[in-house]
Each structure stands twice: as structure tokens, then as C-alpha cells.
Amino acid sequence: MKNYFDLKGQVALVTGCSGGLGVQMAKALANQGANIVALARRQEKIDAVAAEIKEQFGVETLAVRCDITDTDMVNAAVDKVLEKFGRIDILVNNAGTGAVAPAEDITDDQFGNEVAIDLFGTFKVARAVAKKAMIPAKYGRVINIASMYGLVGNKIAGSAPYHAAKGGVVNLTRALAAEWGKYGITVNAICPGYFYTDLTTETLDSPVFQENAKTMIPEERYGHEGELDPAVIFLAAPASTYVTGVMLPVDGGYTCM
């Protein structure tokens, strides 16, 4: 019997892996047997995440401190991973931020910071991983975490820089898929809707957001822990060879209306 989603022996690098969806996706990949590299800015956080994943799933882990806006740090981080594992099969570009304010009040710094992290940072990590690991190996799975807000606008929480940066990630995904397909690398994006995490629960349970869910989301609710896992496992799997340049919304149907 063939296991289409077996990742044993593969190495998955997950950025923004200090909490929330990054940790959830890292655990999903570890559950399928992948060794995990947790990458984020706070060393004590990723040390704890790496230790927890190793204990829970019995895979090898590595915690690497990195600011994805710093090109030298990104290159050094990838070198460190290759020094330990000799390969990077899967990259989950999850690190991001989000400025919320009316568009007319957004500052230059807010807009610049958003693009530097969500878009340029995503590119810097993908570039380094592809050049140093995936292109030489003639194999790779790049999964960019965009957003449903990379596909549409919104009225409930003004966040124009986030929409712009994630929209950039959407078309960056297509561009990289087009360029790197000849190397056996697939590049896809997941576009999550709102998900419950430690940081979002209070907001999503507020009356205004609950009403928004009933109005804007066909499933009339926000995403729960674990509901992003199948998407990341599918796109990371060796079997998804012929799927590239795709935007996969996981949003309860928000973007279908």
C-alpha cells in the first residue's frame, strides 16, 4: 500500500515557527515523519518548539534564530541547516506581520515594514533555499503562506499593506513556480482565512467578528487548529509532483463569494 503523504527522512524548514500557525504546520509535517527546522527571531521560543516537536514526534529538529529581512542571516541560517542535515526538501514561508489601520492613516514605515517582511523576506528565504539546496538536489517543495487577503479586500479591519504584500506573495509564487519547475521544484501558496490561535481568539470571538463570520463566510465560522494541516501536507508531499503555481485558499469559502 502506497502512503502518498510519507515525509520520513525529509527536512522541512518552517519560518515564523515560534507560535501559532507556524508551529501547527511544523507539527503536521513532523507527524508525517519530516525532520523540522524551526526558524524565527526569538531563540528561546524556537528552542522550546524544537524540543517539544522532537519529544512528541521522535523526529530530528533544529532551532535557528533568523530575521528574514536580513539577507546575511538568511544565508547563514540555510548554511547551518545544510551543515546539520545536508538537505532541505520542504520550505514553509510562514513568517509575517500585519499592520491594522485605516489606509489613509497608514505610515510609510508601516507599509515598508510589511513589504520587507511578508514579501521581500519570503523571497529572500526562498532564494537562499532554492540556490543552496533545492536546485542542486533537483527537488523541492516551496509553500508560501499568503492569505485570503492576498486575493480580496476587506471592510472589517483595514490592512492595506498586508493586502498588498500578500498579493505580492501570490504572484511571486507564480513567478517562482514558472522559473523553478525545470529543477523539479514546486512552488505553491496557501491562502488561509482567519484561524483561532492564542493571539486571535479574543478578537475572533468578539460580537463584531462573529457577525462578520455569519455574513462573509459560507461555513459561518473561523478556522480551528488542525484545519490547515491537510493543505500543507498535500503540497509538501512527494506525490504532488504536478501541482505548482497554485493558490489554495483554506478559508471556509470566504473567497468563493
Side-chain angles (χ1 to χ4, degrees):
M1 185 181 289
K2 185 173 183 178
N3 180 352
Y4 287 96
F5 305 108
D6 183 9
L7 302 176
K8 283 186 187 67
Q10 296 205 13
V11 175
L13 190 162
V14 182
T15 72
C17 197
S18 57
L21 296 181
V23 174
Q24 288 178 30
M25 290 185 288
K27 287 183 175 181
L29 295 170
N31 187 67
Q32 302 307 114
N35 299 312
I36 300 297
V37 180
L39 191 144
R41 290 177 298 177
R42 292 172 290 179
Q43 189 71 52
E44 71 284 356
K45 289 264 192 184
I46 51 175
D47 283 341
V49 167
E52 182 188 354
I53 289 175
K54 185 171 187 174
E55 185 181 347
Q56 188 174 349
F57 299 100
V59 298
E60 288 300 306
T61 60
L62 178 66
V64 183
R65 182 180 174 275
C66 183
D67 178 346
I68 65 165
T69 66
D70 185 322
T71 302
D72 290 338
M73 280 188 87
V74 169
N75 288 327
V78 172
D79 288 341
K80 193 170 181 180
V81 178
L82 292 175
E83 199 177 298
K84 178 175 172 68
F85 290 111
R87 61 194 290 176
I88 300 171
D89 305 280
I90 301 157
L91 166 62
V92 181
N93 260 320
N94 170 69
T97 186
V100 178
E104 64 272 20
D105 296 328
I106 289 285
T107 67
D108 289 0
D109 284 346
Q110 283 176 314
F111 201 101
N113 186 56
E114 198 88 34
V115 172
I117 296 171
D118 288 8
L119 179 55
F120 202 1
T122 291
F123 174 72
K124 286 180 180 185
V125 179
R127 176 178 63 188
V129 169
K131 189 166 191 172
K132 293 170 179 283
M134 292 181 175
I135 290 173
K138 297 289 187 286
Y139 179 86
R141 297 284 180 268
V142 177
I143 304 167
N144 295 324
I145 307 304
S147 170
M148 65 181 186
Y149 283 172
L151 303 171
V152 294
N154 96 92
K155 290 176 69 177
I156 193 170
S159 45
Y162 184 77
H163 286 262
K166 291 300 191 180
V169 171
V170 163
N171 219 35
L172 174 65
T173 299
R174 296 187 183 107
L176 298 182
E179 283 198 49
W180 293 345
K182 63 188 176 187
Y183 300 120
I185 301 169
T186 65
V187 187
N188 295 290
I190 297 174
C191 299
Y194 283 110
F195 273 79
Y196 283 104
T197 68
D198 292 343
L199 294 177
T200 64
T201 296
E202 191 177 339
T203 301
L204 297 186
D205 281 342
S206 68
V208 64
F209 267 83
Q210 284 298 303
E211 187 56 38
N212 181 66
K214 290 184 176 64
T215 306
M216 299 297 296
I217 304 172
E219 293 195 13
E220 298 189 353
R221 64 175 180 84
Y222 298 111
H224 297 300
E225 182 173 343
E227 291 189 311
L228 207 55
D229 295 357
V232 75
I233 291 167
F234 163 63
L235 293 176
S240 62
T241 314
Y242 211 51
V243 179
T244 195
V246 163
M247 311 307 132
L248 176 56
V250 184
D251 61 5
Y254 185 103
T255 52
C256 79
M257 296 199 304

